Amino acid sequence: EMALMIMACSHIVIINQKGEIHRQLRELLEVALFALKHLDFLKLKPDIVFVLRDQADFDPEALKTQFVKMGQTLTEQADKLKLKISEFINLSTDALHLFPSAFVVQERKGKKLKQPAGLFSDMVLKLREELFKRQETKFEGEIEQVKDFSTMLNWLVHARSVWTTIRKYGGNLVYYESMHE
């Protein structure tokens, strides 16, 4: 229910995942897409951004392959139910970001010290800047669609309506583990 709420009330959904993209994450997205279609309260399509952190081996091609495979599996499952993923979310390979660990362990005078990693902080700032630029560009073409999000009060009214609907009807829709079920 929380994933559904987040997708229905956000411009950007950042999925912060340790390690790789797992089957459980894909199935969570499947169920959320299925419920979004049936509850019909999506005002705009959120951008789905993946932050895969604690990456010791920065092999972007291997992770991009996983990402593409996840997208294909989502599309295949959605096709079986006559859903088009592109009507509900924006999912593209440029929204995949690989991050190192936020901390490094260094040994000094026989003691292990855990310190913040400078590279991680730099990458977070770069991602933040990229997300703001992406949204500025996106909003130029969607001004009419985002008026429900133009003030905090408008957003709260929308969020309350969404949560009320999810609590009333969502339990039956999000009960399953995947779209296939």
Side-chain angles (χ1 to χ4, degrees):
E1 290 177 351
M2 289 304 295
L4 182 57
M5 175 74 176
I6 290 164
M7 291 176 79
C9 294
S10 303
H11 295 111
I12 301 172
V13 175
I14 300 173
I15 299 174
N16 184 359
Q17 172 91 17
K18 182 177 179 172
E20 302 174 349
I21 297 171
H22 298 287
R23 179 183 55 82
Q24 293 89 352
L25 176 59
R26 187 197 74 235
E27 289 174 349
L28 175 70
L29 287 172
E30 287 178 10
V31 172
L33 289 171
F34 177 74
L36 282 172
K37 178 190 186 324
H38 291 284
L39 294 176
D40 192 33
F41 49 48
L42 198 61
K43 298 284 184 184
L44 68 142
K45 300 183 298 186
D47 289 344
I48 307 297
V49 176
F50 289 87
V51 174
L52 303 179
R53 58 185 168 73
D54 296 345
Q55 298 294 314
D57 180 22
F58 274 85
D59 184 3
E61 288 307 311
L63 288 164
K64 195 173 184 179
T65 301
Q66 283 181 19
F67 183 80
V68 168
K69 184 178 178 185
M70 180 199 68
Q72 289 171 339
T73 305
L74 275 174
T75 302
E76 289 167 8
Q77 292 299 326
D79 287 347
K80 291 177 185 176
L81 298 170
K82 296 182 172 85
L83 295 173
K84 287 191 182 240
I85 291 176
S86 61
E87 292 176 6
F88 300 98
I89 60 173
N90 294 315
L91 186 66
S92 66
T93 54
D94 69 331
L96 177 64
H97 302 275
L98 309 177
F99 278 49
S101 175
F103 297 94
V104 292
V105 177
Q106 295 179 340
E107 193 167 325
R108 290 192 186 158
K109 297 180 184 179
K111 293 184 178 181
K112 290 185 179 181
L113 300 172
K114 196 174 194 179
Q115 298 178 321
L119 178 59
F120 181 85
S121 300
D122 292 343
M123 292 179 79
V124 168
L125 289 173
K126 183 179 173 187
L127 175 61
R128 179 179 178 261
E129 184 178 309
E130 179 185 317
L131 293 175
F132 279 124
K133 283 182 182 178
R134 176 186 293 201
Q135 289 309 302
E136 286 175 9
T137 305
K138 183 178 177 180
F139 289 150
E140 290 173 3
E142 297 181 349
I143 296 297
E144 200 55 37
Q145 292 175 326
V146 296
K147 65 182 173 189
D148 283 341
F149 295 80
S150 62
T151 68
M152 185 58 136
L153 179 59
N154 289 352
W155 182 86
L156 284 170
V157 168
H158 172 72
R160 182 176 179 188
S161 170
V162 167
W163 187 247
T164 301
T165 304
I166 290 171
R167 296 302 299 154
K168 188 173 183 180
Y169 304 108
N172 293 332
L173 293 171
V174 297
Y175 175 76
Y176 305 101
E177 287 187 24
S178 68
M179 268 198 257
H180 178 73
E181 236 184 83

